[in-house]
Amino acid sequence: MSERIGFIGLGIMGQGMVRNLLKAGFAVRVWNRTAAKAEPLVAEGAQMGVSPADVAANSDIIITCVSDTPDVEAVILGEDGVINGAQSGTLVIDCSTISPQATREIAAKLAEKGIKMLDAPVSGGSEGAAKGTLTIMVGGAAEDVERAMPVFKAMGKTITHIGATGAGQVVKLVNQVLVVGNCLAMCEALLLAQAGGVDLQKTIDAISQGAAGSWMFTNRAPQIIRRDWRPGFMISLQQKDLRLVLDAADDLGVPLPATSLIFNLYRTLEAQGLSSEGNHGLMKALEHLAGFEVGSAQ
Ligand code: NAP
């Protein structure tokens, strides 16, 4: 019989990930701080948990996918947290993007109770979560990765065991340098296309499969030209990730000039109250610099 799964954090990512676990035949017990977000999943076959501790007490493997480091600490180490419900031998898999160092500290606290932990941050956006094609970067013990593999395969396509605890989070930060770099390149490219008077959809069709292509360009450039700013990944979370990237770079003494610039461009959008829009909203920061808009107004 397959292991019972607990899932904590039913946001943009968690919703799709739980659906794919249900589709793969796992029994899934869910909990979300805002309970209403659990209801559609319960209608599709998930069981409703009453707290992270309750989910942990009724699961063999518990997945967390919440916003930031303090949020993972709250749902795992808090009074009603996983640590106060899980049996020894339970496996916790954290799919949130958080601090590598905090990850090692959380894993050490769980280990005192015989609870195992993998860091398994993901990439692939809301689309990847919905389609079950996420890229999953894993840190932790090889035997735990092997145990988690059926669960990872239900949610993702490219699953890589990077190394010891925290290594998955380090690679996720590397991933984020590329995500925002590609995002800035996409926005600059669309600005030039708009100014050059060419058809934007034809521009996307012509170049997205060539050497200039990227996931960001394929998935978000069409959204930009429709001026659809709904989030696959919110600016507030993007900034959280860039803080983690820049902190790590500072600790390691690594210069990341473009990433620092992009962090500050996003800050101009946060200052305008746009934190809940998608990260492709970076376009608006460049439009302010250029003095014209890209897209449907053309
Ligand atoms: P989201 O839609 O904002 O969802 C965040 C989830 O975390 C919600 O379920 C929220 O509960 C819960 N949460 C936040 N703080 C909490 C707390 N203190 N206690 C309990 N629950 C808490 O975010 P998301 O896009 O799904 O992202 C989740 C994680 O995946 C983040 O670490 C993000 O960086 C990472 N990620 C996202 C993407 C993407 O494209 N979206 C891609 C890769 C990785 P409520 O519903 O009650 O607010």
Side-chain angles (χ1 to χ4, degrees):
M1 203 177 74
S2 61
E3 302 208 75
R4 297 167 304 161
I5 309 299
F7 203 107
I8 295 167
L10 307 172
I12 289 177
M13 297 301 280
Q15 296 274 339
M17 292 159 83
V18 168
R19 283 203 174 89
N20 283 313
L21 288 166
L22 290 169
K23 219 181 285 172
F26 286 104
V28 187
R29 191 172 184 88
V30 297
W31 180 82
N32 195 62
R33 181 178 57 182
T34 308
K37 286 192 198 164
E39 282 160 16
L41 295 169
V42 170
E44 291 168 44
Q47 297 151 31
M48 179 76 102
V50 296
S51 67
D54 162 73
V55 166
N58 291 286
S59 306
D60 306 304
I61 295 180
I62 300 123
I63 302 172
T64 50
C65 190
V66 295
S67 307
D68 199 353
T69 307
D71 309 313
V72 174
E73 288 167 345
V75 298
I76 294 183
L77 304 177
E79 206 179 314
D80 239 354
V82 168
I83 198 166
N84 292 314
Q87 309 286 316
S88 173
T90 302
L91 175 62
V92 174
I93 303 175
D94 180 32
C95 292
S96 324
T97 304
I98 65 162
S99 150
Q101 184 51 32
T103 294
R104 292 180 200 111
E105 289 164 13
I106 295 166
K109 290 204 173 105
L110 290 173
E112 285 169 15
K113 294 207 162 185
I115 305 164
K116 295 153 190 302
M117 180 172 171
L118 296 172
D119 47 303
V122 300
S123 178
S126 50
E127 291 86 347
K131 290 182 194 152
T133 56
L134 290 170
T135 291
I136 310 180
M137 298 145 260
V138 192
E143 71 207 41
D144 297 331
V145 179
E146 198 180 319
R147 176 176 171 191
M149 206 44 92
V151 173
F152 287 147
K153 284 188 175 153
M155 304 187 296
K157 199 166 93 183
T158 307
I159 299 136
T160 310
H161 182 202
I162 309 287
T165 302
Q169 294 293 357
V170 172
V171 173
K172 173 68 189 187
L173 299 187
V174 172
N175 181 88
Q176 293 310 74
V177 171
L178 287 160
V179 163
V180 296
N182 283 328
C183 190
L184 182 63
M186 165 181 68
C187 295
E188 289 196 359
L190 289 175
L191 210 54
L192 183 61
Q194 177 79 29
V198 291
D199 182 277
L200 295 177
Q201 187 58 54
K202 283 189 182 157
T203 304
I204 294 171
D205 295 343
I207 63 181
S208 63
Q209 300 308 312
S214 65
W215 185 98
M216 185 61 75
F217 193 69
T218 300
N219 288 279
R220 298 291 175 244
Q223 238 186 299
I224 288 176
I225 69 173
R226 293 195 305 273
R227 303 199 70 74
D228 171 0
W229 309 111
R230 283 175 297 175
F233 188 47
M234 274 181 261
I235 288 172
S236 56
L237 288 177
Q238 184 67 86
Q239 286 295 70
K240 176 265 298 181
D241 286 3
L242 292 186
R243 262 183 216 104
L244 294 170
V245 168
L246 295 174
D247 283 350
D250 192 28
D251 287 347
L252 297 166
V254 181
L256 297 179
T259 307
S260 309
L261 168 72
I262 296 165
F263 176 78
N264 282 295
L265 288 170
Y266 276 121
R267 178 158 278 172
T268 68
L269 300 175
E270 288 182 303
Q272 292 166 46
L274 303 179
S275 305
S276 300
E277 294 195 349
N279 58 349
H280 55 296
L282 186 61
M283 191 71 246
K284 292 185 181 176
L286 294 196
E287 289 174 341
H288 287 135
L289 295 176
F292 65 89
E293 288 187 352
V294 164
S296 56
Q298 185 182 243

